[in-house]
Amino acid sequence: MVRKETCPACKGNKYVPVTTSDGRIKTTECPHCGGNGFNVRIELPRR
């Protein structure tokens, strides 16, 4: 069974805020989900 789960890092937003070295806040694609907004989980069926 394949499940799509909302990414816990970006919460489905696809972007996360990152603070740069000069103190500004910049958004970038979520590194946890690759910018998809979700993670795919493959589960084996129970018997």
Side-chain angles (χ1 to χ4, degrees):
M1 177 183 229
V2 177
R3 288 186 167 196
K4 282 185 173 180
E5 297 180 340
T6 303
C7 177
C10 67
K11 297 174 182 61
N13 193 23
K14 300 181 184 180
Y15 296 98
V16 291
V18 176
T19 305
T20 60
S21 61
D22 59 356
R24 291 185 294 153
I25 296 176
K26 174 182 157 184
T27 57
T28 186
E29 285 188 351
C30 179
H32 193 262
C33 65
N36 292 324
F38 61 88
N39 293 325
V40 175
R41 177 182 285 186
I42 300 173
E43 296 179 351
L44 296 175
R46 294 184 183 181
R47 290 186 175 198

